[in-house]
């Protein structure tokens, strides 16, 4: 078993990685996948211009998180690939998906030989949809929930047919605001599972939905998991660890 999505603290060091590996070994894992989000990297800040321009909250957030060097991360990967570890260790990127930036994202993917390249929708038309303190003010109190859910899955459809990604993180995370979808999800889930299978994209089942966000689903919904099983979609359980202590935290 592997933990298919963990993120390292900054700076990127062998010591930090070894701490993650030690925990993984102690929990009997066969491997981990380091996936760093694109919003961390200063070289990629142009992808977030619209996000920063849309709301002051978002600009403040971005200025806090956009502190790492992509070149340093790539150099770190190159050095770590020379070492031997007791488990399998892979390195990649989690790209924020924006429909208007597909070509830019493709350029990021082509610029370095990552082991894994995954996509995630963090922003719905440049607005964060699942921030506990601000998303209601920025989005949910202004727009019809049915429209927002439909738009989210329109973007998901575009992401799944972009031919850019090995996997998808944060699937269905629009539910984290606990605003009920006004229509039944059966047809939408079936369509998304069909696209995942057709395009050979895996989907993460994120345990942090439970331990970090305390959502009733504890990861992917049972209804969507059933669709994935029916369509033969690869589902990978992940901790989305942000510290060594969270590696392999699946329950």
């Amino acid at each position: 078993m592997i933990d298919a999505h963990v993120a390292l603290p900054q700076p990127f060091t062998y010591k930090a990685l070894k701490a993650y590996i030690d925990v993984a070994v102690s929990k009997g894992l066969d491997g981990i996948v380091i996936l760093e989000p694109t919003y961390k990297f200063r070289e990629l800040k142009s992808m977030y211009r619209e996000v920063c321009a849309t709301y002051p909250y978002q600009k403040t957030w971005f200025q806090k998180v956009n502190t790492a060097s992509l070149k340093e991360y790539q150099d770190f990967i190159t050095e770590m690939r020379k070492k031997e570890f007791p488990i399998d260790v892979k390195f990649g990127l989690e790209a924020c998906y924006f429909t208007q930036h597909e070509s830019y994202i493709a350029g990021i993917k082509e610029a370095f030989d990552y082991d894994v390249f995954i996509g995630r929708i963090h922003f719905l038309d440049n607005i964060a949809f699942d921030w506990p303190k601000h998303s209601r003010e920025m989005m949910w109190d202004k727009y019809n929930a049915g429209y927002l859910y439909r738009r989210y899955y329109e973007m998901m459809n575009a992401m799944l047919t972009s031919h850019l990604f090995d996997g998808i993180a944060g699937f269905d995370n629009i539910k984290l605001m606990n605003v009920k979808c006004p229509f039944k999800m059966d047809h939408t889930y079936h369509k998304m599972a069909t696209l995942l299978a057709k395009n050979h994209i895996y989907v993460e089942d994120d345990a942090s939905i439970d331990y970090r966000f305390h959502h009733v689903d504890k990861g992917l919904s049972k209804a969507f998991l059933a669709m994935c099983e029916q369509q033969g979609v690869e589902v990978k359980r992940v901790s989305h660890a942000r510290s060594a202590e969270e590696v392999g935290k699946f329950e």
Side-chain angles (χ1 to χ4, degrees):
M1 187 177 197
I2 69 169
D3 189 339
H5 191 151
V6 303
L8 293 172
Q10 291 174 237
F12 303 112
T13 65
Y14 171 74
K15 181 179 180 181
L17 177 59
K18 186 177 183 302
Y20 277 50
I21 292 171
D22 288 346
V23 173
V25 169
S26 73
K27 292 186 176 182
L29 297 180
D30 301 309
I32 57 174
V33 182
I34 312 299
L35 290 166
E36 298 299 331
T38 50
Y39 58 70
K40 277 188 176 182
F41 299 110
R42 295 187 297 272
E43 294 94 328
L44 307 181
K45 64 182 179 182
S46 63
M47 192 162 66
Y48 298 88
R49 285 174 182 164
E50 297 100 330
V51 166
C52 292
T54 304
Y55 278 102
Y57 300 128
Q58 296 184 165
K59 183 176 182 180
T60 299
W61 164 82
F62 185 71
Q63 289 171 337
K64 288 181 179 178
V65 300
N66 186 237
T67 57
S69 164
L70 183 60
K71 177 64 164 55
E72 289 179 4
Y73 180 51
Q74 292 170 346
D75 289 345
F76 171 73
I77 293 172
T78 300
E79 286 302 309
M80 292 305 102
R81 283 174 172 169
K82 298 174 183 177
K83 296 183 179 295
E84 292 188 4
F85 300 113
I87 59 173
D88 185 45
V89 181
K90 289 184 167 59
F91 301 89
L93 280 185
E94 175 197 276
C96 283
Y97 179 75
F98 301 92
T99 52
Q100 72 269 29
H101 291 310
E102 280 195 5
S103 295
Y104 188 89
I105 295 167
I108 296 170
K109 181 180 181 180
E110 293 168 3
F112 188 80
D113 182 26
Y114 297 105
D115 299 311
V116 183
F117 195 82
I118 69 168
R120 183 180 188 135
I121 299 173
H122 278 283
F123 301 93
L124 187 56
D125 292 330
N126 305 311
I127 303 175
F129 57 81
D130 61 355
W131 290 6
K133 290 185 178 180
H134 300 302
S135 288
R136 287 190 181 276
E137 177 186 347
M138 294 189 298
M139 175 175 285
W140 294 96
D141 291 343
K142 294 183 177 182
Y143 302 98
N144 175 273
Y147 164 76
L148 294 175
Y149 270 90
R150 287 186 178 90
R151 181 62 185 133
Y152 176 84
Y153 286 105
E154 285 175 0
M155 285 186 64
M156 185 65 67
N157 183 93
M159 182 162 65
L160 295 179
T161 55
S162 68
H163 305 293
L164 288 171
F165 304 110
D166 303 309
I168 297 299
F171 182 88
D172 211 21
N173 275 13
I174 192 170
K175 67 188 178 185
L176 292 180
M177 290 303 292
N178 293 306
V179 178
K180 187 176 180 181
C181 180
F183 53 86
K184 290 185 177 181
M185 290 296 300
D186 296 15
H187 174 73
T188 299
Y189 281 161
H190 182 269
K191 182 179 180 180
M192 297 299 107
T194 300
L195 287 174
L196 285 162
K198 179 181 178 180
N199 293 292
H200 307 289
I201 302 169
Y202 72 82
V203 63
E204 292 185 356
D205 187 12
D206 187 353
S208 73
I209 296 299
D210 180 18
Y211 75 78
R212 189 173 291 140
F213 298 101
H214 311 295
H215 192 274
V216 64
D217 279 345
K218 302 183 184 303
L220 294 174
S221 70
K222 291 180 180 178
F224 183 64
L225 282 170
M227 292 289 184
C228 288
E229 183 176 2
Q230 184 183 74
Q231 296 292 325
V233 176
E234 184 178 11
V235 178
K236 294 189 179 184
R237 190 65 165 161
V238 307
S239 70
H240 208 282
R242 297 174 183 171
S243 65
E245 293 74 19
E246 292 176 345
V247 172
K249 189 173 182 178
F250 298 138
E251 302 295 339

